[in-house]
Amino acid sequence: MGTAVAGSTFQNLLYEKKGAIAYLILNRPKVLNALNQAVFAELKAAFEDVRDDAAVRGVILTGSGDKAFAAGADISEMSTSTGVQAEESTRHAQAVTELIENLGKPVIAAVNGFALGGGCELAMACTIRIAAETAKFGQPEVKLGIMPGAGGTQRLPRLIGKGRALQLILSGEIISAQEAYRIGLVNEVVPSANLISRSEAILNQINSNGPLGVKYSIDAVNKGLDGSVSEGLLIEASLFGICAGSEDKKEGTSAFLAKRAPNFQGR
Ligand code: CAA
């Protein structure tokens, strides 16, 4: 494990690339991987590196230790910040979540423990959430006299519906992985020992498909959810047109007709 971004050394993040998968591990286990500004800066650098590396086709984001994915924003850092500083740092955190959401490559949050506050928000920015049986989720910010600030008020209702989102945000209740699965916050719940292997299997399945089709499907879903259905359909048609003019489409359709496996180039 170590940094793969040239010229920088991460203090709070382990970053490794193995084949087509990049592994990012939040690494402040003594404070349950709490997210301070340095973590967000390192996440930004790592995700930009992943985005720009054509050899990487997907990401697994998880937490170090067996207790937490991330227990939220760093409360000691937050306790001394002014309103103006907090607005600035929350905008930076939000920009990182947008980078992850629109990376153009699937990002799996492999949630190995507490995903609270900013930790839950970080997981929600990922393409897919796989939870260990021991994972726990919640938006407990109101208990600290604040509110979600890294996208929770926007992404949670889009994932689980307005009523359930408001109940979680207003109560600050912490829920189990099974409950998170029941309400649609996570895609699957697996035994802790299988968390990474199941995440890898999902990415490998996605990676066997055309990279352009994967990238533009993510774009169409994300951009479509921002507006009306008819605007979304227009975005879908435009991106479908780009895919349909690609070499990958020629390869995918030819391979199907020749009854062979496709060899996609992402062009
Ligand atoms: N920030 C800073 N430190 C944290 C932290 C956080 N979010 N969460 C845990 N820690 C620290 C604890 O202070 C403790 O440190 P010490 O050993 O030095 O005392 C260490 O991590 C272990 O934590 P606990 O002893 O509390 O562990 P526990 O098993 O008893 O409880 C827990 C676990 C329920 C997750 C509890 O730690 C907790 O409630 N943490 C805070 C969760 C929270 O409120 N998150 C939201 C933050 S605000 C936010 O995220 C805003 C946003 O939208 C961006």
Side-chain angles (χ1 to χ4, degrees), residues 43-44 105 128 130 148 152 185 187 259:
L43 281 172
K44 178 171 185 286
K105 303 175 185 189
I128 291 170
I130 306 300
L185 178 52
N187 299 58
K259 301 190 188 305

CSV table of all heavy atoms in Angstrom, one decimal, residues 43-44 105 128 130 148 152 185 187 259:
chain,number,residue,atom,x,y,z
A,43,LEU,N,-8.6,12.8,-0.9
A,43,LEU,CA,-9.6,12.1,-1.7
A,43,LEU,C,-9.7,12.8,-3.1
A,43,LEU,O,-9.8,12.1,-4.1
A,43,LEU,CB,-11.0,12.2,-1.0
A,43,LEU,CG,-11.2,11.2,0.1
A,43,LEU,CD1,-12.6,11.5,0.8
A,43,LEU,CD2,-11.2,9.7,-0.4
A,44,LYS,N,-9.7,14.1,-3.1
A,44,LYS,CA,-9.8,14.9,-4.4
A,44,LYS,C,-8.6,14.5,-5.2
A,44,LYS,O,-8.8,14.1,-6.4
A,44,LYS,CB,-9.8,16.4,-4.1
A,44,LYS,CG,-9.8,17.2,-5.3
A,44,LYS,CD,-10.0,18.7,-5.0
A,44,LYS,CE,-10.1,19.6,-6.2
A,44,LYS,NZ,-8.9,19.8,-6.9
A,105,LYS,N,-16.5,6.4,-14.0
A,105,LYS,CA,-16.2,5.0,-13.7
A,105,LYS,C,-16.9,4.6,-12.4
A,105,LYS,O,-17.1,5.4,-11.5
A,105,LYS,CB,-14.6,4.9,-13.4
A,105,LYS,CG,-13.8,5.4,-14.5
A,105,LYS,CD,-12.3,5.4,-14.2
A,105,LYS,CE,-11.6,6.1,-15.4
A,105,LYS,NZ,-10.2,6.0,-15.3
A,128,ILE,N,-22.4,2.6,-6.1
A,128,ILE,CA,-23.0,1.4,-5.6
A,128,ILE,C,-22.5,1.3,-4.1
A,128,ILE,O,-21.4,1.6,-3.8
A,128,ILE,CB,-22.6,0.1,-6.3
A,128,ILE,CG1,-23.3,0.2,-7.7
A,128,ILE,CG2,-23.0,-1.1,-5.6
A,128,ILE,CD1,-22.7,-0.9,-8.7
A,130,ILE,N,-22.1,-1.4,-1.0
A,130,ILE,CA,-22.2,-2.8,-0.5
A,130,ILE,C,-21.8,-2.7,1.0
A,130,ILE,O,-20.8,-2.1,1.4
A,130,ILE,CB,-21.2,-3.7,-1.2
A,130,ILE,CG1,-21.4,-3.6,-2.7
A,130,ILE,CG2,-21.3,-5.1,-0.7
A,130,ILE,CD1,-22.8,-4.1,-3.2
A,148,PRO,N,-26.9,18.0,7.9
A,148,PRO,CA,-26.0,17.4,6.9
A,148,PRO,C,-25.4,18.5,6.0
A,148,PRO,O,-26.1,19.4,5.7
A,148,PRO,CB,-26.9,16.4,6.1
A,148,PRO,CG,-28.0,16.1,7.1
A,148,PRO,CD,-28.2,17.3,7.9
A,152,GLY,N,-26.1,15.3,2.1
A,152,GLY,CA,-27.1,14.4,2.6
A,152,GLY,C,-28.6,14.8,2.4
A,152,GLY,O,-29.5,14.0,2.2
A,185,LEU,N,-31.0,2.1,0.9
A,185,LEU,CA,-29.8,2.9,1.0
A,185,LEU,C,-28.6,2.2,0.6
A,185,LEU,O,-27.6,2.7,0.1
A,185,LEU,CB,-29.7,3.4,2.5
A,185,LEU,CG,-28.5,4.2,2.9
A,185,LEU,CD1,-28.3,5.4,2.0
A,185,LEU,CD2,-28.6,4.6,4.4
A,187,ASN,N,-27.1,-1.4,-1.7
A,187,ASN,CA,-27.5,-2.4,-2.7
A,187,ASN,C,-27.5,-3.8,-2.2
A,187,ASN,O,-28.4,-4.6,-2.6
A,187,ASN,CB,-26.5,-2.3,-3.9
A,187,ASN,CG,-26.5,-0.9,-4.5
A,187,ASN,OD1,-26.2,0.1,-3.8
A,187,ASN,ND2,-26.8,-0.8,-5.8
A,259,LYS,N,-20.7,-14.5,-32.3
A,259,LYS,CA,-20.7,-15.4,-31.1
A,259,LYS,C,-19.3,-15.6,-30.5
A,259,LYS,O,-18.8,-16.6,-30.2
A,259,LYS,CB,-21.3,-16.8,-31.5
A,259,LYS,CG,-22.7,-16.8,-32.1
A,259,LYS,CD,-23.3,-18.1,-32.2
A,259,LYS,CE,-24.6,-18.1,-33.0
A,259,LYS,NZ,-25.6,-17.2,-32.5
